Amino acid sequence: MDSAGQDINLNSPNKGLLSDSMTDVPVDTAVAAQTPAVEGLTEAEEEELRAELAKVEEEIVTLRQVLAAKERHCGELKRKLGLSALEGLKQNLSRSWRDVQVSTAYKKTQETFSQAGQKTSAALSTVGSAISRKLGDMRNSATFKSFEDRVGTIKSKVVGGRENGSDHLPSPTGSDDKPLPDHTPF
């Protein structure tokens, strides 16, 4: 049996078999023989390097087979345990988030944002106090008092007429002889 189809014994028959998409493309020794040798290498050194290359490529194929077998076995175990791909994704994201939170960069960034938030809060509090103080000063000014008195007078005239049981508003000209029309919708 050749190395691409060999069974890697992992306590299960045929665990080492790979699909065609997982196999490596072998190096064509005829093409390799046609390429000129690197200057400074003897034929013996070149042959030794080619043998080592072939050995490494064979090890790569074997390792891929072992990895594929382990991944299949892992998938079987997850399926038997009822773990889905979504569950695995959740666990990976959760683990990654914990890793991020314990990182130095995250801690420094969190500390910086915390300080910035405190400074922003203090600044907004100061601005709010200043606005409140200015509005209080404005409310106590003579101009605002005059305006407030006029609005109060108009309001008392409008509301005062209705509070007395009258269906009409006082006329601005003083002639209170015309009642307001009834505006009932129905």
Side-chain angles (χ1 to χ4, degrees):
M1 180 179 271
D2 65 344
S3 64
Q6 73 183 9
D7 180 22
I8 305 296
N9 187 355
L10 297 175
N11 300 328
S12 178
N14 301 322
K15 276 201 176 212
L17 294 178
L18 288 177
S19 66
D20 290 340
S21 63
M22 292 291 291
T23 58
D24 226 13
V25 177
V27 173
D28 187 2
T29 55
V31 173
Q34 293 174 359
T35 58
V38 178
E39 291 181 24
L41 287 179
T42 64
E43 281 188 38
E45 290 173 331
E46 184 180 347
E47 190 62 35
E48 183 181 324
L49 289 175
R50 290 189 192 285
E52 186 177 347
L53 176 63
K55 181 180 175 185
V56 169
E57 286 178 339
E58 187 175 317
E59 288 174 355
I60 289 171
V61 169
T62 303
L63 290 172
R64 284 189 177 151
Q65 291 171 346
V66 171
L67 178 61
K70 295 275 187 186
E71 286 175 341
R72 277 194 303 275
H73 186 64
C74 179
E76 290 171 12
L77 292 174
K78 285 181 179 181
R79 184 181 45 78
K80 287 178 182 177
L81 290 171
L83 300 176
S84 66
L86 180 62
E87 200 59 39
L89 180 63
K90 282 186 202 176
Q91 289 175 354
N92 287 341
L93 287 175
S94 179
R95 188 177 322 115
S96 296
W97 179 240
R98 278 193 307 267
D99 292 346
V100 166
Q101 286 180 321
V102 298
S103 72
T104 306
Y106 179 83
K107 288 180 180 177
K108 286 182 181 179
T109 303
Q110 185 181 27
E111 184 179 314
T112 302
F113 280 141
S114 177
Q115 290 173 355
Q118 290 171 354
K119 289 179 181 179
T120 302
S121 177
L124 290 175
S125 177
T126 303
V127 168
S129 297
I131 290 172
S132 293
R133 189 173 47 253
K134 288 293 182 184
L135 287 174
D137 292 347
M138 188 177 81
R139 187 163 190 225
N140 293 330
S141 71
T143 306
F144 187 81
K145 291 280 186 191
S146 173
F147 177 74
E148 188 177 38
D149 289 342
R150 287 184 185 169
V151 169
T153 304
I154 293 171
K155 179 183 175 193
S156 65
K157 286 183 179 180
V158 171
V159 174
R162 292 194 179 180
E163 287 177 349
N164 294 333
S166 169
D167 282 345
H168 64 282
L169 293 175
S171 170
T173 61
S175 59
D176 290 336
D177 55 350
K178 294 182 183 176
L180 289 176
D182 186 19
H183 292 293
T184 54
F186 300 105

